[in-house]
Amino acid sequence: FDTNTPAVYYYTEILGLHGQTVTHRWKLEGKVMQEVPIAVKRSRQAVWSKSVMQPDWTGNWTVEVVTERGDVIEADNFAYSPPM
């Protein structure tokens, strides 16, 4: 994504965690920038969160899906940089 992108959305499908809370943890270069708790209300549920990006938040990002126990069950990476 480039710095003209105002927000980045992260979607995941959660299976088997009904009644629990998962967290989307947004990290820039390893530093936690945002944590979004999401209540899981079904045994199979699509969930999403977003980060409203700032032009100076350039670098490598990771979004982790974290269970209540602290286990990272999924992680994805993206880069946020000035337009080419």
Side-chain angles (χ1 to χ4, degrees):
F1 300 96
D2 68 39
T3 53
N4 291 323
T5 306
V8 175
Y9 292 80
Y10 186 71
Y11 295 87
T12 50
E13 182 178 34
I14 305 298
L15 301 171
L17 296 177
H18 177 257
Q20 297 184 42
T21 298
V22 296
T23 300
H24 281 177
R25 182 182 296 150
W26 294 76
K27 296 165 62 174
L28 171 58
E29 301 290 344
K31 177 185 175 190
V32 176
M33 300 297 284
Q34 172 177 267
E35 291 187 319
V36 180
I38 302 165
V40 181
K41 299 178 181 176
R42 294 180 285 286
S43 60
R44 181 178 181 184
Q45 182 173 331
V47 301
W48 63 274
S49 66
K50 76 174 182 177
S51 182
V52 176
M53 306 301 284
Q54 303 298 316
D56 60 332
W57 288 359
T58 57
N60 295 310
W61 284 79
T62 302
V63 184
E64 299 172 336
V65 181
V66 185
T67 66
E68 290 178 346
R69 292 184 358 194
D71 297 326
V72 176
I73 58 173
E74 188 172 342
D76 289 291
N77 302 303
F78 68 92
Y80 189 68
S81 56
M84 297 181 89

